[in-house]
Amino acid sequence: MSSDTIPFDEASAEALLMRFLAVDGVTGHEAAIAAEVSASLVEVGVPPSMIKYDDAHKRIPLPTETGNLIATMPGTRPGPRLLFSTHLDTVPLCAGAKPKREGDRIINEAAGAALGGDNRTGCAVLVAMVETLLKHNLPHPPITLLFTVREESGLHGARELDPDDLGGAAMGFNVDAQVPANLVIGAVGQVNWQAEIHGKASHAGVAPEKGISSTLVASIALAEAHKNGWFGKINRAEGKGTSNPGIFEGKPGASAGDATNVVTDYVHLVGEARSFDENFAVQIAAAYEAAFETGRLAVADLDGNHAKVKFTAKPSYPPFQLPEDSPAVDRAKRAAETLGLSAMTLHSNGGLDANWLVRHGVPAVTIGAGQHEIHTVNEFVDLPQYFDGCRLAIAIATLDD
């Protein structure tokens, strides 16, 4: 089926996008947008009995209004069940967005806010795809639709998903990128780490030698990580990856230290390690732990006492890599070709719901739908790319096996 033969209604797809962009749903507060998407699915012909919410929010360690939204559709022809996924939430900067069409773009006319194309484009693509399939009776295999929560704050909805709720999907197609036919077939994994340093306060002008500076311990540790090649972009014989200590603070909501005349007694650092090799990401975090031990031993008070350091590391999401010839990648490539699009496979240095979908046993390719300048006040949606994203989803769903 070529782009000329797909009976796709651009005006209806644009209306869906504008409808979803106008609904707030920052991460953790997805109830309103989930209800809007659910209502739109019913409007285009999905029976309410085929739509449900799971209980993933009960397992997410952050307050979350609702579970993942899941819809299952029977096939009109034989074939493996296909999963189409996207996420419901936006970053907090998108609160109060007011979408407006300007030429071939959807922009935000609300000052100081992002638009939310990430990922209202994905929500609209999935509903537009279903509308097209049902309205025109296009043959398709069984389909599961997945709209996840809390993607933007840690991929939590996809992580806490029960794979059995996907109905035995054989392959997945996640809508969460920019250019439709730039197929993301692999992504890094991430380990998050924290270091709490308990030093000892003293008067910095009268008796600094009686104190143990947590700031100095942390500074030596970071310098040690940098010296040994574990800071920033990492390219070692053992592997490749990145790291970043992103937060350097005191007690929650406070600075590291209270005054210039007091030796800092407490510092809290939060960082990350990323790699396409799951074990190497763990190794990066372990190198930071060793660096903090070096920093701890390098600083002592007048009596030879050292700081106490509590270091913890926890995997955030696993990496994945789909073979170029895997069925999911092949299907996406062939679907793009039917539309005259040039498919290209890419790897992401950021996490996606696909990271967890693959871990749950569903090989998932991420496709795009025109989202640009995401997470910024300059965000916009490129409508021609969005329409191509809709057509690509339809082509994937209707492609002969």
Side-chain angles (χ1 to χ4, degrees):
M1 184 177 291
S2 69
S3 59
D4 295 331
T5 59
I6 288 180
F8 172 61
D9 186 340
E10 291 187 354
S12 178
E14 182 180 341
L16 281 168
L17 177 59
M18 294 293 281
R19 174 180 175 179
F20 296 158
L21 284 169
V23 179
D24 275 353
V26 302
T27 190
H29 299 274
E30 295 92 343
I33 183 61
E36 197 72 22
V37 170
S38 179
S40 70
L41 287 171
V42 173
E43 290 166 15
V44 301
V46 179
S49 60
M50 295 182 181
I51 303 172
K52 73 169 189 175
Y53 292 90
D54 71 6
D55 62 353
H57 60 301
K58 296 180 180 179
R59 296 183 292 278
I60 294 173
L62 297 167
T64 307
E65 288 180 342
T66 186
N68 300 310
L69 177 65
I70 302 171
T72 53
M73 299 169 55
T76 58
R77 64 169 173 81
R81 177 172 288 275
L82 305 180
L83 171 68
F84 288 88
S85 65
T86 193
H87 63 88
L88 292 164
D89 59 323
T90 65
V91 294
L93 188 61
C94 297
K98 294 181 179 179
K100 173 186 176 181
R101 179 164 183 172
E102 190 175 84
D104 281 341
R105 293 182 174 185
I106 303 297
I107 64 167
N108 182 21
E109 60 178 353
L115 177 62
D118 176 20
N119 203 2
R120 297 295 188 261
T121 55
C123 296
V125 164
L126 266 58
V127 178
M129 176 193 72
V130 172
E131 179 182 37
T132 305
L133 296 179
L134 297 181
K135 181 178 180 180
H136 299 283
N137 297 313
L138 299 180
H140 62 82
I143 288 174
T144 296
L145 307 174
L146 170 65
F147 302 85
T148 63
V149 296
R150 276 207 179 273
E151 189 270 356
E152 295 289 7
S153 47
L155 312 181
H156 289 290
R159 178 175 188 155
E160 301 301 337
L161 177 74
D162 182 347
D164 289 342
D165 284 334
L166 301 181
M171 63 187 79
F173 303 92
N174 180 48
V175 187
D176 192 12
Q178 185 179 111
V179 180
N182 283 359
L183 313 176
V184 181
I185 65 169
V188 294
Q190 179 173 312
V191 172
N192 294 333
W193 58 260
Q194 296 189 50
E196 288 187 274
I197 305 172
H198 295 268
K200 186 173 72 172
S202 68
H203 195 295
V206 176
E209 70 279 6
K210 293 183 179 181
I212 304 172
S213 173
S214 296
T215 299
L216 182 57
V217 172
S219 299
I220 292 172
L222 297 182
E224 179 76 5
H226 179 265
K227 181 182 72 174
N228 292 327
W230 295 106
F231 193 104
K233 181 171 282 189
I234 301 165
N235 189 356
R236 298 171 59 92
E238 306 98 308
K240 297 181 180 180
T242 61
S243 74
N244 185 55
I247 298 172
F248 194 120
E249 62 181 0
K251 294 179 174 64
S255 63
D258 301 319
T260 59
N261 63 351
V262 179
V263 172
T264 307
D265 66 342
Y266 178 82
V267 165
H268 178 223
L269 294 94
V270 183
E272 66 167 41
R274 299 188 186 199
S275 178
F276 286 98
D277 181 333
E278 191 166 9
N279 292 329
F280 190 63
V282 172
Q283 189 175 348
I284 295 170
Y288 271 86
E289 182 173 16
F292 278 101
E293 177 63 11
T294 297
R296 186 186 76 83
L297 294 175
V299 181
D301 65 9
L302 189 64
D303 298 320
N305 298 309
H306 299 279
K308 295 180 180 179
V309 175
K310 180 181 178 182
F311 187 95
T312 57
K314 182 179 179 181
S316 178
Y317 52 84
F320 78 97
Q321 168 68 55
L322 300 182
E324 291 275 353
D325 59 353
S326 70
V329 178
D330 176 68
R331 190 180 188 95
K333 286 179 178 178
R334 289 190 292 121
E337 290 169 2
T338 66
L339 303 176
L341 301 176
S342 179
M344 177 185 302
T345 55
L346 305 172
H347 297 79
S348 172
N349 287 319
L352 301 158
D353 276 345
N355 288 64
W356 282 110
L357 294 175
V358 173
R359 182 55 59 95
H360 291 321
V362 183
V365 175
T366 297
I367 65 174
Q371 49 179 259
H372 289 258
E373 302 288 344
I374 63 172
H375 302 185
T376 76
V377 297
N378 298 316
E379 185 181 9
F380 68 92
V381 174
D382 181 293
L383 278 173
Q385 288 184 336
Y386 164 66
F387 294 144
D388 277 346
C390 292
R391 291 188 177 92
L392 181 55
I394 297 165
I396 290 170
T398 57
L399 193 70
D400 291 333
D401 296 315

